[in-house]
């Protein structure tokens, strides 16, 4: 397994710095980074707005669980703490493994509760699909279809209109 799409988001503290922490945590595995989008919270509206982006990463030695371990390490580096009472609550950094592909291009499918692939709600989240389209305009979510079709279908079409592109914010280092 060599390639994965990751969704990153932050709505606490220095949101942009937390997203940059995620990009830095994946280091040389990062192939491409999407633009940054400001989005309303999903699932729990009583919290600040998020900054969201997507990463395409690759590593010939990495399997799906490796991507999950790296995602958790990036969250920890950003000071993420999990509140079991608030599933969709605010966070310094959230890194989700959305999809993983084998070296031959075939998607990894998994119903493991710790790492379901593709991500079980990706097709419902404009804040995942829109940044992913930035980095893979002709991409497909395994088992669900073309990203653009998913994003333009109801009910996501109205959610997509509420995504605020933030061209003033970049995930490249200031150095």
């Amino acid at each position: 397994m060599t390639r994965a799409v990751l969704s990153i988001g932050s709505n606490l503290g220095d949101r942009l710095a937390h997203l940059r922490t995620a990009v830095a945590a994946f280091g040389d595995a990062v192939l491409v980074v999407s633009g940054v989008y400001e989005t309303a919270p999903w699932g729990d509206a009583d919290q600040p707005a998020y900054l969201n982006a997507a990463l395409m990463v690759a590593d010939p030695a990495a399997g799906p669980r490796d991507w999950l371990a790296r995602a958790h390490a990036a969250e920890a580096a950003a000071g993420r703490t999990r509140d079991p009472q608030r599933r969709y609550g605010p966070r310094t950094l959230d890194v989700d493994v959305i999809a993983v592909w084998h070296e031959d291009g075939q998607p990894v499918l998994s119903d493991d509760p710790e790492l379901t692939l593709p991500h079980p709600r990706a097709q419902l989240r404009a804040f995942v699909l829109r940044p992913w389209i930035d980095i893979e305009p002709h991409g497909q979510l395994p088992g669900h279809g073309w990203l653009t079709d998913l994003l333009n279908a109801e009910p996501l079409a109205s959610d997509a209109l509420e995504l605020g592109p933030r061209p003033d914010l970049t995930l490249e280092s200031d150095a």
Side-chain angles (χ1 to χ4, degrees), residues 13-28:
D14 187 339
R15 301 175 301 164
L16 184 61
H18 294 311
L19 296 185
R20 287 179 175 165
T21 295
V23 174
F26 287 93
D28 291 341

Side-chain angles (χ1 to χ4, degrees), residues 61-78:
R65 292 217 171 267
D66 297 313
W67 294 121
L68 182 61
R70 290 179 188 183
H72 288 166
E75 290 174 347

Side-chain angles (χ1 to χ4, degrees), residues 4-67:
V5 169
L6 309 173
S7 176
I8 61 176
S10 174
N11 75 335
L12 291 178
D14 187 339
R15 301 175 301 164
L16 184 61
H18 294 311
L19 296 185
R20 287 179 175 165
T21 295
V23 174
F26 287 93
D28 291 341
V30 176
L31 299 176
V32 64
V33 179
S34 75
V36 176
Y37 292 82
E38 191 152 20
T39 64
W42 192 91
D44 181 345
D46 188 24
Q47 57 183 307
Y50 277 83
L51 290 181
N52 290 99
L55 309 176
M56 178 73 71
V57 293
D59 181 341
R65 292 217 171 267
D66 297 313
W67 294 121

